[in-house]
């Protein structure tokens, strides 16, 4: 199998494409699309987002120390892209995309009502890493849209048709291939 050798770079794809919402000290809401995000810890629940210091959202995040990660769907793909290419310095992204801000319950940041999952976060540490700074944050609340719950109270995010980002392109997640542990599950 022939492979090309490339210079070092980020080829860890696909990534979740999330919209991170925040509210500045004056009450102005903003949204930034983030691909550089990760689960960090289960207990306490933590995640990270990485943001370039020159982004408009960077100073809001640093000043308030609070944000909401909003999962995205095929229906939200246009808004997801728009919030990644337009600056909150120039436009009201909630207004321009038709998204609805709803204030969080544990943080002073707006959530996106149309998102199937909203994850409220408080920044614990900011790590300067080079082109991006990592905001290491504790998850303080999670909101899940009831329309994706079944009669047994199991959440079905797949029904929301989540999207991912891969090397400049957005994709739907496709069909289920298995569940955790299916490779070792005993056959009946």
């Amino acid at each position: 199998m022939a492979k090309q050798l490339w210079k070092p770079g980020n080829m860890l794809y696909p990534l979740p494409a999330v919209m991170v919402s925040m509210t500045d000290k004056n009450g102005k809401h903003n949204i930034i699309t983030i691909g550089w995000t990760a689960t960090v810890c289960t207990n306490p629940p933590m995640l990270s987002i990485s943001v370039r210091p020159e982004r408009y959202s960077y100073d809001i995040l640093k000043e308030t120390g609070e944000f909401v990660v909003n999962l995205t769907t095929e229906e939200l793909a246009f808004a997801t892209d728009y919030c990644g290419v337009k600056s909150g310095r120039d436009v009201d992204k909630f207004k321009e995309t038709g998204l609805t801000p709803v204030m969080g319950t544990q943080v002073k940041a707006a959530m996106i009502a149309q998102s199937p999952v909203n994850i409220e976060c408080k920044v614990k540490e900011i790590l300067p890493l080079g082109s991006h700074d990592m905001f290491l944050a504790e998850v303080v609340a999670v909101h899940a849209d009831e329309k994706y719950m079944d009669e047994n109270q199991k959440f079905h995010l797949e029904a929301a048709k989540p999207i991912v980002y891969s090397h400049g392109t957005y994709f739907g997640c496709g069909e289920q291939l298995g569940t955790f542990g299916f490779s070792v599950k005993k056959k009946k």
Side-chain angles (χ1 to χ4, degrees):
M1 172 187 320
K3 293 193 177 184
Q4 294 181 3
L5 177 62
W6 292 355
K7 68 177 182 167
N10 291 315
M11 287 298 295
L12 184 60
Y13 288 114
L15 303 164
V18 301
M19 289 188 282
V20 173
S21 53
M22 65 212 66
T23 303
D24 71 15
K25 294 282 186 182
N26 298 317
K28 181 182 176 190
H29 305 312
N30 190 46
I31 306 167
I32 184 173
T33 299
I34 300 280
W36 308 133
T37 184
T39 297
V40 175
C41 188
T42 301
N43 192 9
M46 297 182 79
L47 59 76
S48 70
I49 61 171
S50 293
V51 181
R52 290 180 184 269
E54 62 268 18
R55 297 286 186 232
Y56 173 71
S57 299
Y58 180 91
D59 289 332
I60 299 170
L61 292 166
K62 194 168 182 182
E63 179 182 84
T64 65
E66 299 180 336
F67 61 90
V68 179
V69 172
N70 303 275
L71 300 190
T72 58
T73 64
E74 291 178 10
E75 191 175 301
L76 295 172
F78 181 88
T80 302
D81 184 65
Y82 184 90
C83 291
V85 297
K86 290 291 190 175
S87 174
R89 274 187 196 96
D90 306 321
V91 297
D92 177 338
K93 295 181 190 180
F94 276 100
K95 180 181 174 190
E96 294 301 317
T97 58
L99 296 173
T100 307
V102 177
M103 290 309 291
T105 60
Q106 303 301 309
V107 298
K108 293 177 184 134
M111 304 185 299
I112 298 172
Q114 292 86 343
S115 174
V117 176
N118 315 95
I119 307 166
E120 294 186 58
C121 301
K122 290 189 177 186
V123 176
K124 293 297 177 194
E125 190 174 352
I126 302 171
L127 302 168
L129 299 174
S131 63
H132 292 69
D133 285 1
M134 180 190 293
F135 289 77
L136 188 60
E138 184 172 357
V139 173
V140 294
V142 177
H143 304 264
D145 193 325
E146 291 179 345
K147 73 180 174 185
Y148 301 111
M149 302 292 284
D150 68 18
E151 62 279 352
N152 297 318
Q153 295 303 299
K154 182 176 180 192
F155 186 68
H156 293 276
L157 181 60
E158 71 280 4
K161 298 184 179 177
I163 60 173
V164 294
Y165 180 80
S166 183
H167 208 64
T169 306
Y170 301 96
F171 292 96
C173 287
E175 66 183 71
Q176 178 179 315
L177 303 175
T179 58
F180 181 76
F182 84 101
S183 64
V184 296
K185 189 174 182 179
K186 293 183 181 180
K187 296 182 185 192
K188 293 180 181 181

